[in-house]
Amino acid sequence: MVTVKLFGMTKSLAGNQGSLSIPMTNGRRVKDLVQLLDGSYPQIGELIHKKKVLVSVNQDIAHEETEIKDGDEIALLPPFAGGAMEDIDESQFVRVQRENFSIDRELDRVRSRSKRIGGIATFLGIARDRSKGRDVDGITFEYYEGMAQKKLREIRERALKDFDILELLIIHRYGEITIGENIVLIIAGAEHRAEAFRACKWAIDELKQITPIWKLEHTPEGEVWVEEHP
């Protein structure tokens, strides 16, 4: 049995209880505790998966593999009043836009989300002048307004839940793109590089599968809609 201290919104979500007593019999790590919270207090569990609530063990921020021992002081930490973990304008991290973007500025945007970020993985898609044996003079992207942004938000939310990362940014441009220009940017920030790489790769692969964005290649022989995404 472990005691978990609650503060702020987590206290409200648990019926104004200041603490929870939780039996841990099938595991002694933070991820096991979160799994139990998912079952008994799903709203709190969801906030933990989204990194809006942190778990601390003995007054240090813990990760999912942190071991919990008898007598450890465990607490759930909602966003601080000082603003270090404030709700963000999600549109700053998920955007479909016509204009180009600054890679350095977007890296700083992700980096500023948490001082726990120790590894950042980046994917940058660029317009190339050759595709499937054809010369390409330029590209035009069309997108389904509203649905495209919704799907990108879903990708970000799933990445934050399914991977051990602290932030994910996705930007995709639309309109006419000249050869050599930026098209899409994905940045994943995590404590460690492995999860950042995994989340970044998954996000671009998923984007290609579910986001209603279409690519028209302009070639010397005419215009060609691209139907698959290698």
Side-chain angles (χ1 to χ4, degrees), residues 95-97 140-145 147-149 151-152 170-175 183-184 207-216 225-227 229:
R95 307 202 306 273
V96 180
Q97 62 187 52
T140 299
F141 283 93
E142 291 186 2
Y143 76 109
Y144 187 164
E145 171 70 33
M147 184 176 179
Q149 289 92 333
K151 291 300 181 183
L152 294 182
I170 311 174
I171 302 173
H172 203 299
R173 295 180 62 197
Y174 70 93
I183 298 172
V184 57
L207 181 154
K208 296 288 189 179
Q209 294 296 321
I210 72 169
T211 308
I213 297 176
W214 299 275
K215 179 166 73 171
L216 180 67
W225 286 104
V226 178
E227 297 181 2
H229 305 280

PDB file of all heavy atoms in Angstrom, residues 95-97 140-145 147-149 151-152 170-175 183-184 207-216 225-227 229:
ATOM      1  N   ARG A  95       0.504  23.186 -36.517  1.00  0.00           N
ATOM      2  CA  ARG A  95       0.124  24.240 -37.441  1.00  0.00           C
ATOM      3  C   ARG A  95       0.151  23.747 -38.888  1.00  0.00           C
ATOM      4  O   ARG A  95       1.024  22.966 -39.271  1.00  0.00           O
ATOM      5  CB  ARG A  95       1.076  25.441 -37.316  1.00  0.00           C
ATOM      6  CG  ARG A  95       1.235  25.961 -35.903  1.00  0.00           C
ATOM      7  CD  ARG A  95       1.719  27.385 -35.846  1.00  0.00           C
ATOM      8  NE  ARG A  95       2.934  27.662 -36.559  1.00  0.00           N
ATOM      9  CZ  ARG A  95       4.168  27.519 -36.056  1.00  0.00           C
ATOM     10  NH1 ARG A  95       4.342  27.026 -34.826  1.00  0.00           N
ATOM     11  NH2 ARG A  95       5.229  27.841 -36.758  1.00  0.00           N
ATOM     12  N   VAL A  96      -0.822  24.242 -39.665  1.00  0.00           N
ATOM     13  CA  VAL A  96      -0.791  24.122 -41.118  1.00  0.00           C
ATOM     14  C   VAL A  96      -0.748  25.548 -41.634  1.00  0.00           C
ATOM     15  O   VAL A  96      -1.655  26.340 -41.355  1.00  0.00           O
ATOM     16  CB  VAL A  96      -2.027  23.372 -41.665  1.00  0.00           C
ATOM     17  CG1 VAL A  96      -1.951  23.278 -43.187  1.00  0.00           C
ATOM     18  CG2 VAL A  96      -2.133  21.983 -41.059  1.00  0.00           C
ATOM     19  N   GLN A  97       0.305  25.905 -42.342  1.00  0.00           N
ATOM     20  CA  GLN A  97       0.497  27.299 -42.713  1.00  0.00           C
ATOM     21  C   GLN A  97       1.096  27.425 -44.112  1.00  0.00           C
ATOM     22  O   GLN A  97       1.765  26.514 -44.590  1.00  0.00           O
ATOM     23  CB  GLN A  97       1.420  27.989 -41.701  1.00  0.00           C
ATOM     24  CG  GLN A  97       2.828  27.389 -41.631  1.00  0.00           C
ATOM     25  CD  GLN A  97       3.659  27.975 -40.497  1.00  0.00           C
ATOM     26  OE1 GLN A  97       3.225  28.009 -39.347  1.00  0.00           O
ATOM     27  NE2 GLN A  97       4.865  28.434 -40.828  1.00  0.00           N
ATOM     28  N   THR A 140       2.696  21.719 -55.162  1.00  0.00           N
ATOM     29  CA  THR A 140       1.585  22.417 -54.528  1.00  0.00           C
ATOM     30  C   THR A 140       0.892  21.466 -53.564  1.00  0.00           C
ATOM     31  O   THR A 140       0.596  20.321 -53.920  1.00  0.00           O
ATOM     32  CB  THR A 140       0.564  22.919 -55.567  1.00  0.00           C
ATOM     33  OG1 THR A 140       1.200  23.839 -56.454  1.00  0.00           O
ATOM     34  CG2 THR A 140      -0.603  23.632 -54.882  1.00  0.00           C
ATOM     35  N   PHE A 141       0.663  21.942 -52.357  1.00  0.00           N
ATOM     36  CA  PHE A 141      -0.041  21.134 -51.354  1.00  0.00           C
ATOM     37  C   PHE A 141      -1.437  21.718 -51.125  1.00  0.00           C
ATOM     38  O   PHE A 141      -1.593  22.929 -50.937  1.00  0.00           O
ATOM     39  CB  PHE A 141       0.719  21.122 -50.030  1.00  0.00           C
ATOM     40  CG  PHE A 141       1.921  20.221 -50.032  1.00  0.00           C
ATOM     41  CD1 PHE A 141       3.171  20.720 -50.362  1.00  0.00           C
ATOM     42  CD2 PHE A 141       1.806  18.875 -49.717  1.00  0.00           C
ATOM     43  CE1 PHE A 141       4.281  19.894 -50.370  1.00  0.00           C
ATOM     44  CE2 PHE A 141       2.907  18.039 -49.723  1.00  0.00           C
ATOM     45  CZ  PHE A 141       4.147  18.551 -50.051  1.00  0.00           C
ATOM     46  N   GLU A 142      -2.425  20.831 -51.121  1.00  0.00           N
ATOM     47  CA  GLU A 142      -3.781  21.172 -50.714  1.00  0.00           C
ATOM     48  C   GLU A 142      -4.088  20.443 -49.413  1.00  0.00           C
ATOM     49  O   GLU A 142      -3.518  19.386 -49.140  1.00  0.00           O
ATOM     50  CB  GLU A 142      -4.806  20.756 -51.781  1.00  0.00           C
ATOM     51  CG  GLU A 142      -4.736  21.554 -53.063  1.00  0.00           C
ATOM     52  CD  GLU A 142      -5.861  21.185 -54.022  1.00  0.00           C
ATOM     53  OE1 GLU A 142      -6.699  20.332 -53.639  1.00  0.00           O
ATOM     54  OE2 GLU A 142      -5.890  21.739 -55.126  1.00  0.00           O
ATOM     55  N   TYR A 143      -5.013  21.002 -48.637  1.00  0.00           N
ATOM     56  CA  TYR A 143      -5.373  20.325 -47.392  1.00  0.00           C
ATOM     57  C   TYR A 143      -6.825  20.594 -47.067  1.00  0.00           C
ATOM     58  O   TYR A 143      -7.434  21.544 -47.564  1.00  0.00           O
ATOM     59  CB  TYR A 143      -4.473  20.771 -46.244  1.00  0.00           C
ATOM     60  CG  TYR A 143      -4.769  22.144 -45.683  1.00  0.00           C
ATOM     61  CD1 TYR A 143      -5.344  22.302 -44.428  1.00  0.00           C
ATOM     62  CD2 TYR A 143      -4.446  23.309 -46.403  1.00  0.00           C
ATOM     63  CE1 TYR A 143      -5.605  23.558 -43.904  1.00  0.00           C
ATOM     64  CE2 TYR A 143      -4.705  24.562 -45.895  1.00  0.00           C
ATOM     65  CZ  TYR A 143      -5.289  24.684 -44.646  1.00  0.00           C
ATOM     66  OH  TYR A 143      -5.555  25.923 -44.139  1.00  0.00           O
ATOM     67  N   TYR A 144      -7.390  19.718 -46.252  1.00  0.00           N
ATOM     68  CA  TYR A 144      -8.774  19.831 -45.793  1.00  0.00           C
ATOM     69  C   TYR A 144      -8.755  20.694 -44.539  1.00  0.00           C
ATOM     70  O   TYR A 144      -8.382  20.232 -43.461  1.00  0.00           O
ATOM     71  CB  TYR A 144      -9.319  18.439 -45.515  1.00  0.00           C
ATOM     72  CG  TYR A 144     -10.792  18.335 -45.183  1.00  0.00           C
ATOM     73  CD1 TYR A 144     -11.431  17.105 -45.251  1.00  0.00           C
ATOM     74  CD2 TYR A 144     -11.542  19.436 -44.789  1.00  0.00           C
ATOM     75  CE1 TYR A 144     -12.781  16.975 -44.944  1.00  0.00           C
ATOM     76  CE2 TYR A 144     -12.880  19.327 -44.483  1.00  0.00           C
ATOM     77  CZ  TYR A 144     -13.499  18.091 -44.562  1.00  0.00           C
ATOM     78  OH  TYR A 144     -14.824  17.965 -44.255  1.00  0.00           O
ATOM     79  N   GLU A 145      -9.166  21.953 -44.677  1.00  0.00           N
ATOM     80  CA  GLU A 145      -9.164  22.893 -43.561  1.00  0.00           C
ATOM     81  C   GLU A 145      -9.997  22.350 -42.407  1.00  0.00           C
ATOM     82  O   GLU A 145     -11.129  21.898 -42.591  1.00  0.00           O
ATOM     83  CB  GLU A 145      -9.746  24.242 -44.016  1.00  0.00           C
ATOM     84  CG  GLU A 145      -9.999  25.237 -42.902  1.00  0.00           C
ATOM     85  CD  GLU A 145      -8.724  25.786 -42.306  1.00  0.00           C
ATOM     86  OE1 GLU A 145      -7.738  25.936 -43.040  1.00  0.00           O
ATOM     87  OE2 GLU A 145      -8.721  26.062 -41.083  1.00  0.00           O
ATOM     88  N   MET A 147     -10.052  19.564 -40.709  1.00  0.00           N
ATOM     89  CA  MET A 147      -9.772  18.147 -40.478  1.00  0.00           C
ATOM     90  C   MET A 147      -8.276  17.891 -40.402  1.00  0.00           C
ATOM     91  O   MET A 147      -7.821  17.080 -39.586  1.00  0.00           O
ATOM     92  CB  MET A 147     -10.384  17.289 -41.574  1.00  0.00           C
ATOM     93  CG  MET A 147     -10.203  15.797 -41.344  1.00  0.00           C
ATOM     94  SD  MET A 147     -11.024  14.796 -42.603  1.00  0.00           S
ATOM     95  CE  MET A 147     -10.567  13.145 -42.028  1.00  0.00           C
ATOM     96  N   ALA A 148      -7.494  18.572 -41.243  1.00  0.00           N
ATOM     97  CA  ALA A 148      -6.046  18.373 -41.215  1.00  0.00           C
ATOM     98  C   ALA A 148      -5.482  18.762 -39.850  1.00  0.00           C
ATOM     99  O   ALA A 148      -4.693  18.030 -39.252  1.00  0.00           O
ATOM    100  CB  ALA A 148      -5.368  19.178 -42.322  1.00  0.00           C
ATOM    101  N   GLN A 149      -5.900  19.922 -39.341  1.00  0.00           N
ATOM    102  CA  GLN A 149      -5.426  20.349 -38.026  1.00  0.00           C
ATOM    103  C   GLN A 149      -5.879  19.377 -36.939  1.00  0.00           C
ATOM    104  O   GLN A 149      -5.122  19.076 -36.009  1.00  0.00           O
ATOM    105  CB  GLN A 149      -5.940  21.759 -37.710  1.00  0.00           C
ATOM    106  CG  GLN A 149      -5.291  22.855 -38.541  1.00  0.00           C
ATOM    107  CD  GLN A 149      -6.055  23.163 -39.807  1.00  0.00           C
ATOM    108  OE1 GLN A 149      -6.760  22.305 -40.351  1.00  0.00           O
ATOM    109  NE2 GLN A 149      -5.924  24.390 -40.295  1.00  0.00           N
ATOM    110  N   LYS A 151      -6.404  16.143 -37.215  1.00  0.00           N
ATOM    111  CA  LYS A 151      -5.590  14.929 -37.271  1.00  0.00           C
ATOM    112  C   LYS A 151      -4.191  15.173 -36.726  1.00  0.00           C
ATOM    113  O   LYS A 151      -3.610  14.311 -36.050  1.00  0.00           O
ATOM    114  CB  LYS A 151      -5.524  14.407 -38.710  1.00  0.00           C
ATOM    115  CG  LYS A 151      -6.844  13.858 -39.225  1.00  0.00           C
ATOM    116  CD  LYS A 151      -7.327  12.692 -38.371  1.00  0.00           C
ATOM    117  CE  LYS A 151      -8.629  12.113 -38.866  1.00  0.00           C
ATOM    118  NZ  LYS A 151      -9.119  11.011 -37.977  1.00  0.00           N
ATOM    119  N   LEU A 152      -3.631  16.340 -36.994  1.00  0.00           N
ATOM    120  CA  LEU A 152      -2.298  16.646 -36.458  1.00  0.00           C
ATOM    121  C   LEU A 152      -2.347  16.768 -34.934  1.00  0.00           C
ATOM    122  O   LEU A 152      -1.423  16.338 -34.242  1.00  0.00           O
ATOM    123  CB  LEU A 152      -1.748  17.925 -37.081  1.00  0.00           C
ATOM    124  CG  LEU A 152      -1.442  17.875 -38.577  1.00  0.00           C
ATOM    125  CD1 LEU A 152      -0.863  19.204 -39.047  1.00  0.00           C
ATOM    126  CD2 LEU A 152      -0.487  16.728 -38.915  1.00  0.00           C
ATOM    127  N   ILE A 170       4.456  19.838 -34.666  1.00  0.00           N
ATOM    128  CA  ILE A 170       4.242  19.454 -36.066  1.00  0.00           C
ATOM    129  C   ILE A 170       3.814  20.687 -36.856  1.00  0.00           C
ATOM    130  O   ILE A 170       2.853  21.364 -36.493  1.00  0.00           O
ATOM    131  CB  ILE A 170       3.139  18.389 -36.217  1.00  0.00           C
ATOM    132  CG1 ILE A 170       3.343  17.224 -35.250  1.00  0.00           C
ATOM    133  CG2 ILE A 170       3.076  17.891 -37.660  1.00  0.00           C
ATOM    134  CD1 ILE A 170       2.191  16.224 -35.263  1.00  0.00           C
ATOM    135  N   ILE A 171       4.533  20.962 -37.934  1.00  0.00           N
ATOM    136  CA  ILE A 171       4.161  22.040 -38.852  1.00  0.00           C
ATOM    137  C   ILE A 171       4.166  21.476 -40.272  1.00  0.00           C
ATOM    138  O   ILE A 171       5.116  20.788 -40.663  1.00  0.00           O
ATOM    139  CB  ILE A 171       5.137  23.232 -38.784  1.00  0.00           C
ATOM    140  CG1 ILE A 171       5.213  23.795 -37.361  1.00  0.00           C
ATOM    141  CG2 ILE A 171       4.724  24.323 -39.761  1.00  0.00           C
ATOM    142  CD1 ILE A 171       6.279  24.868 -37.195  1.00  0.00           C
ATOM    143  N   HIS A 172       3.110  21.760 -41.020  1.00  0.00           N
ATOM    144  CA  HIS A 172       3.069  21.374 -42.429  1.00  0.00           C
ATOM    145  C   HIS A 172       2.634  22.586 -43.246  1.00  0.00           C
ATOM    146  O   HIS A 172       1.653  23.255 -42.903  1.00  0.00           O
ATOM    147  CB  HIS A 172       2.098  20.210 -42.660  1.00  0.00           C
ATOM    148  CG  HIS A 172       2.379  19.425 -43.903  1.00  0.00           C
ATOM    149  ND1 HIS A 172       2.344  19.989 -45.170  1.00  0.00           N
ATOM    150  CD2 HIS A 172       2.712  18.125 -44.079  1.00  0.00           C
ATOM    151  CE1 HIS A 172       2.640  19.054 -46.072  1.00  0.00           C
ATOM    152  NE2 HIS A 172       2.872  17.919 -45.432  1.00  0.00           N
ATOM    153  N   ARG A 173       3.339  22.847 -44.329  1.00  0.00           N
ATOM    154  CA  ARG A 173       2.990  23.976 -45.182  1.00  0.00           C
ATOM    155  C   ARG A 173       1.994  23.558 -46.266  1.00  0.00           C
ATOM    156  O   ARG A 173       1.877  22.385 -46.601  1.00  0.00           O
ATOM    157  CB  ARG A 173       4.252  24.552 -45.826  1.00  0.00           C
ATOM    158  CG  ARG A 173       5.231  25.157 -44.833  1.00  0.00           C
ATOM    159  CD  ARG A 173       6.448  25.715 -45.541  1.00  0.00           C
ATOM    160  NE  ARG A 173       6.084  26.792 -46.444  1.00  0.00           N
ATOM    161  CZ  ARG A 173       6.871  27.252 -47.422  1.00  0.00           C
ATOM    162  NH1 ARG A 173       8.057  26.699 -47.620  1.00  0.00           N
ATOM    163  NH2 ARG A 173       6.481  28.237 -48.191  1.00  0.00           N
ATOM    164  N   TYR A 174       1.294  24.541 -46.799  1.00  0.00           N
ATOM    165  CA  TYR A 174       0.413  24.301 -47.934  1.00  0.00           C
ATOM    166  C   TYR A 174       0.660  25.384 -48.983  1.00  0.00           C
ATOM    167  O   TYR A 174       1.389  26.343 -48.744  1.00  0.00           O
ATOM    168  CB  TYR A 174      -1.060  24.285 -47.511  1.00  0.00           C
ATOM    169  CG  TYR A 174      -1.612  25.638 -47.104  1.00  0.00           C
ATOM    170  CD1 TYR A 174      -2.250  26.463 -48.035  1.00  0.00           C
ATOM    171  CD2 TYR A 174      -1.518  26.088 -45.794  1.00  0.00           C
ATOM    172  CE1 TYR A 174      -2.754  27.704 -47.665  1.00  0.00           C
ATOM    173  CE2 TYR A 174      -2.020  27.318 -45.416  1.00  0.00           C
ATOM    174  CZ  TYR A 174      -2.647  28.123 -46.352  1.00  0.00           C
ATOM    175  OH  TYR A 174      -3.141  29.340 -45.988  1.00  0.00           O
ATOM    176  N   GLY A 175       0.026  25.210 -50.143  1.00  0.00           N
ATOM    177  CA  GLY A 175       0.236  26.154 -51.232  1.00  0.00           C
ATOM    178  C   GLY A 175       1.407  25.744 -52.102  1.00  0.00           C
ATOM    179  O   GLY A 175       1.847  24.591 -52.097  1.00  0.00           O
ATOM    180  N   ILE A 183       9.007  21.844 -46.201  1.00  0.00           N
ATOM    181  CA  ILE A 183       7.614  21.414 -46.326  1.00  0.00           C
ATOM    182  C   ILE A 183       7.023  21.089 -44.965  1.00  0.00           C
ATOM    183  O   ILE A 183       5.985  21.621 -44.577  1.00  0.00           O
ATOM    184  CB  ILE A 183       7.492  20.161 -47.220  1.00  0.00           C
ATOM    185  CG1 ILE A 183       7.977  20.450 -48.636  1.00  0.00           C
ATOM    186  CG2 ILE A 183       6.045  19.674 -47.248  1.00  0.00           C
ATOM    187  CD1 ILE A 183       8.058  19.207 -49.499  1.00  0.00           C
ATOM    188  N   VAL A 184       7.656  20.188 -44.231  1.00  0.00           N
ATOM    189  CA  VAL A 184       7.092  19.699 -42.977  1.00  0.00           C
ATOM    190  C   VAL A 184       8.203  19.607 -41.932  1.00  0.00           C
ATOM    191  O   VAL A 184       9.346  19.282 -42.258  1.00  0.00           O
ATOM    192  CB  VAL A 184       6.413  18.318 -43.186  1.00  0.00           C
ATOM    193  CG1 VAL A 184       7.375  17.296 -43.748  1.00  0.00           C
ATOM    194  CG2 VAL A 184       5.792  17.806 -41.882  1.00  0.00           C
ATOM    195  N   LEU A 207       1.484  10.847 -39.834  1.00  0.00           N
ATOM    196  CA  LEU A 207       1.019  12.010 -40.591  1.00  0.00           C
ATOM    197  C   LEU A 207       0.740  11.630 -42.043  1.00  0.00           C
ATOM    198  O   LEU A 207      -0.291  12.007 -42.617  1.00  0.00           O
ATOM    199  CB  LEU A 207       2.066  13.127 -40.514  1.00  0.00           C
ATOM    200  CG  LEU A 207       1.769  14.453 -41.216  1.00  0.00           C
ATOM    201  CD1 LEU A 207       2.531  15.581 -40.530  1.00  0.00           C
ATOM    202  CD2 LEU A 207       2.143  14.428 -42.701  1.00  0.00           C
ATOM    203  N   LYS A 208       1.652  10.863 -42.638  1.00  0.00           N
ATOM    204  CA  LYS A 208       1.496  10.459 -44.038  1.00  0.00           C
ATOM    205  C   LYS A 208       0.273   9.579 -44.243  1.00  0.00           C
ATOM    206  O   LYS A 208      -0.288   9.531 -45.340  1.00  0.00           O
ATOM    207  CB  LYS A 208       2.751   9.715 -44.503  1.00  0.00           C
ATOM    208  CG  LYS A 208       4.026  10.548 -44.520  1.00  0.00           C
ATOM    209  CD  LYS A 208       4.009  11.552 -45.642  1.00  0.00           C
ATOM    210  CE  LYS A 208       5.367  12.240 -45.801  1.00  0.00           C
ATOM    211  NZ  LYS A 208       5.365  13.200 -46.917  1.00  0.00           N
ATOM    212  N   GLN A 209      -0.133   8.865 -43.189  1.00  0.00           N
ATOM    213  CA  GLN A 209      -1.229   7.910 -43.315  1.00  0.00           C
ATOM    214  C   GLN A 209      -2.609   8.518 -43.087  1.00  0.00           C
ATOM    215  O   GLN A 209      -3.573   8.125 -43.747  1.00  0.00           O
ATOM    216  CB  GLN A 209      -1.020   6.747 -42.323  1.00  0.00           C
ATOM    217  CG  GLN A 209       0.184   5.879 -42.622  1.00  0.00           C
ATOM    218  CD  GLN A 209       0.066   5.137 -43.942  1.00  0.00           C
ATOM    219  OE1 GLN A 209      -1.013   4.668 -44.298  1.00  0.00           O
ATOM    220  NE2 GLN A 209       1.164   5.040 -44.672  1.00  0.00           N
ATOM    221  N   ILE A 210      -2.734   9.449 -42.150  1.00  0.00           N
ATOM    222  CA  ILE A 210      -4.080   9.856 -41.722  1.00  0.00           C
ATOM    223  C   ILE A 210      -4.410  11.323 -41.951  1.00  0.00           C
ATOM    224  O   ILE A 210      -5.565  11.721 -41.745  1.00  0.00           O
ATOM    225  CB  ILE A 210      -4.295   9.526 -40.230  1.00  0.00           C
ATOM    226  CG1 ILE A 210      -3.488  10.481 -39.331  1.00  0.00           C
ATOM    227  CG2 ILE A 210      -3.964   8.078 -39.918  1.00  0.00           C
ATOM    228  CD1 ILE A 210      -3.864  10.382 -37.862  1.00  0.00           C
ATOM    229  N   THR A 211      -3.458  12.151 -42.367  1.00  0.00           N
ATOM    230  CA  THR A 211      -3.722  13.584 -42.483  1.00  0.00           C
ATOM    231  C   THR A 211      -4.165  13.937 -43.903  1.00  0.00           C
ATOM    232  O   THR A 211      -3.460  13.611 -44.862  1.00  0.00           O
ATOM    233  CB  THR A 211      -2.468  14.402 -42.115  1.00  0.00           C
ATOM    234  OG1 THR A 211      -1.979  13.962 -40.844  1.00  0.00           O
ATOM    235  CG2 THR A 211      -2.807  15.880 -42.039  1.00  0.00           C
ATOM    236  N   PRO A 212      -5.310  14.593 -44.058  1.00  0.00           N
ATOM    237  CA  PRO A 212      -5.802  14.935 -45.397  1.00  0.00           C
ATOM    238  C   PRO A 212      -5.049  16.115 -46.015  1.00  0.00           C
ATOM    239  O   PRO A 212      -5.522  17.254 -46.042  1.00  0.00           O
ATOM    240  CB  PRO A 212      -7.281  15.252 -45.161  1.00  0.00           C
ATOM    241  CG  PRO A 212      -7.329  15.735 -43.750  1.00  0.00           C
ATOM    242  CD  PRO A 212      -6.271  14.973 -43.008  1.00  0.00           C
ATOM    243  N   ILE A 213      -3.835  15.806 -46.464  1.00  0.00           N
ATOM    244  CA  ILE A 213      -2.990  16.762 -47.180  1.00  0.00           C
ATOM    245  C   ILE A 213      -2.567  16.081 -48.471  1.00  0.00           C
ATOM    246  O   ILE A 213      -2.119  14.930 -48.453  1.00  0.00           O
ATOM    247  CB  ILE A 213      -1.759  17.162 -46.350  1.00  0.00           C
ATOM    248  CG1 ILE A 213      -2.192  17.874 -45.056  1.00  0.00           C
ATOM    249  CG2 ILE A 213      -0.827  18.063 -47.166  1.00  0.00           C
ATOM    250  CD1 ILE A 213      -1.035  18.221 -44.128  1.00  0.00           C
ATOM    251  N   TRP A 214      -2.701  16.779 -49.587  1.00  0.00           N
ATOM    252  CA  TRP A 214      -2.427  16.177 -50.898  1.00  0.00           C
ATOM    253  C   TRP A 214      -1.325  16.941 -51.616  1.00  0.00           C
ATOM    254  O   TRP A 214      -1.247  18.173 -51.533  1.00  0.00           O
ATOM    255  CB  TRP A 214      -3.694  16.174 -51.744  1.00  0.00           C
ATOM    256  CG  TRP A 214      -4.793  15.379 -51.104  1.00  0.00           C
ATOM    257  CD1 TRP A 214      -4.992  14.030 -51.194  1.00  0.00           C
ATOM    258  CD2 TRP A 214      -5.834  15.868 -50.267  1.00  0.00           C
ATOM    259  NE1 TRP A 214      -6.090  13.651 -50.472  1.00  0.00           N
ATOM    260  CE2 TRP A 214      -6.631  14.757 -49.887  1.00  0.00           C
ATOM    261  CE3 TRP A 214      -6.189  17.135 -49.792  1.00  0.00           C
ATOM    262  CZ2 TRP A 214      -7.745  14.886 -49.070  1.00  0.00           C
ATOM    263  CZ3 TRP A 214      -7.299  17.260 -48.969  1.00  0.00           C
ATOM    264  CH2 TRP A 214      -8.061  16.143 -48.623  1.00  0.00           C
ATOM    265  N   LYS A 215      -0.493  16.187 -52.336  1.00  0.00           N
ATOM    266  CA  LYS A 215       0.674  16.772 -53.000  1.00  0.00           C
ATOM    267  C   LYS A 215       0.530  16.682 -54.511  1.00  0.00           C
ATOM    268  O   LYS A 215       0.325  15.596 -55.064  1.00  0.00           O
ATOM    269  CB  LYS A 215       1.954  16.060 -52.549  1.00  0.00           C
ATOM    270  CG  LYS A 215       3.216  16.603 -53.224  1.00  0.00           C
ATOM    271  CD  LYS A 215       4.494  16.143 -52.522  1.00  0.00           C
ATOM    272  CE  LYS A 215       4.799  14.696 -52.759  1.00  0.00           C
ATOM    273  NZ  LYS A 215       6.144  14.336 -52.252  1.00  0.00           N
ATOM    274  N   LEU A 216       0.655  17.818 -55.178  1.00  0.00           N
ATOM    275  CA  LEU A 216       0.635  17.898 -56.633  1.00  0.00           C
ATOM    276  C   LEU A 216       2.030  18.288 -57.113  1.00  0.00           C
ATOM    277  O   LEU A 216       2.517  19.370 -56.783  1.00  0.00           O
ATOM    278  CB  LEU A 216      -0.388  18.942 -57.096  1.00  0.00           C
ATOM    279  CG  LEU A 216      -0.525  19.149 -58.614  1.00  0.00           C
ATOM    280  CD1 LEU A 216      -1.096  17.906 -59.278  1.00  0.00           C
ATOM    281  CD2 LEU A 216      -1.397  20.369 -58.902  1.00  0.00           C
ATOM    282  N   TRP A 225      -0.593  14.061 -59.306  1.00  0.00           N
ATOM    283  CA  TRP A 225      -0.957  13.921 -57.892  1.00  0.00           C
ATOM    284  C   TRP A 225      -0.228  12.706 -57.323  1.00  0.00           C
ATOM    285  O   TRP A 225      -0.267  11.619 -57.894  1.00  0.00           O
ATOM    286  CB  TRP A 225      -2.455  13.737 -57.728  1.00  0.00           C
ATOM    287  CG  TRP A 225      -3.248  14.993 -57.956  1.00  0.00           C
ATOM    288  CD1 TRP A 225      -3.977  15.302 -59.060  1.00  0.00           C
ATOM    289  CD2 TRP A 225      -3.359  16.101 -57.067  1.00  0.00           C
ATOM    290  NE1 TRP A 225      -4.547  16.537 -58.933  1.00  0.00           N
ATOM    291  CE2 TRP A 225      -4.191  17.054 -57.705  1.00  0.00           C
ATOM    292  CE3 TRP A 225      -2.849  16.394 -55.801  1.00  0.00           C
ATOM    293  CZ2 TRP A 225      -4.514  18.280 -57.129  1.00  0.00           C
ATOM    294  CZ3 TRP A 225      -3.171  17.603 -55.215  1.00  0.00           C
ATOM    295  CH2 TRP A 225      -3.989  18.517 -55.863  1.00  0.00           C
ATOM    296  N   VAL A 226       0.409  12.887 -56.197  1.00  0.00           N
ATOM    297  CA  VAL A 226       1.147  11.809 -55.545  1.00  0.00           C
ATOM    298  C   VAL A 226       0.174  11.039 -54.672  1.00  0.00           C
ATOM    299  O   VAL A 226      -0.468  11.607 -53.784  1.00  0.00           O
ATOM    300  CB  VAL A 226       2.314  12.353 -54.711  1.00  0.00           C
ATOM    301  CG1 VAL A 226       3.034  11.225 -53.994  1.00  0.00           C
ATOM    302  CG2 VAL A 226       3.280  13.120 -55.612  1.00  0.00           C
ATOM    303  N   GLU A 227       0.084   9.731 -54.893  1.00  0.00           N
ATOM    304  CA  GLU A 227      -0.916   8.915 -54.204  1.00  0.00           C
ATOM    305  C   GLU A 227      -0.347   8.105 -53.058  1.00  0.00           C
ATOM    306  O   GLU A 227      -1.088   7.644 -52.197  1.00  0.00           O
ATOM    307  CB  GLU A 227      -1.602   7.970 -55.200  1.00  0.00           C
ATOM    308  CG  GLU A 227      -2.380   8.711 -56.270  1.00  0.00           C
ATOM    309  CD  GLU A 227      -3.079   7.758 -57.224  1.00  0.00           C
ATOM    310  OE1 GLU A 227      -2.967   6.538 -57.014  1.00  0.00           O
ATOM    311  OE2 GLU A 227      -3.746   8.238 -58.152  1.00  0.00           O
ATOM    312  N   HIS A 229       2.970   7.619 -50.090  1.00  0.00           N
ATOM    313  CA  HIS A 229       3.940   8.407 -49.318  1.00  0.00           C
ATOM    314  C   HIS A 229       5.057   7.497 -48.810  1.00  0.00           C
ATOM    315  O   HIS A 229       4.919   6.881 -47.770  1.00  0.00           O
ATOM    316  CB  HIS A 229       3.262   9.081 -48.124  1.00  0.00           C
ATOM    317  CG  HIS A 229       2.092   9.929 -48.513  1.00  0.00           C
ATOM    318  ND1 HIS A 229       2.225  11.181 -49.008  1.00  0.00           N
ATOM    319  CD2 HIS A 229       0.763   9.671 -48.487  1.00  0.00           C
ATOM    320  CE1 HIS A 229       1.013  11.698 -49.258  1.00  0.00           C
ATOM    321  NE2 HIS A 229       0.126  10.772 -48.957  1.00  0.00           N
TER     322      HIS A 229
END
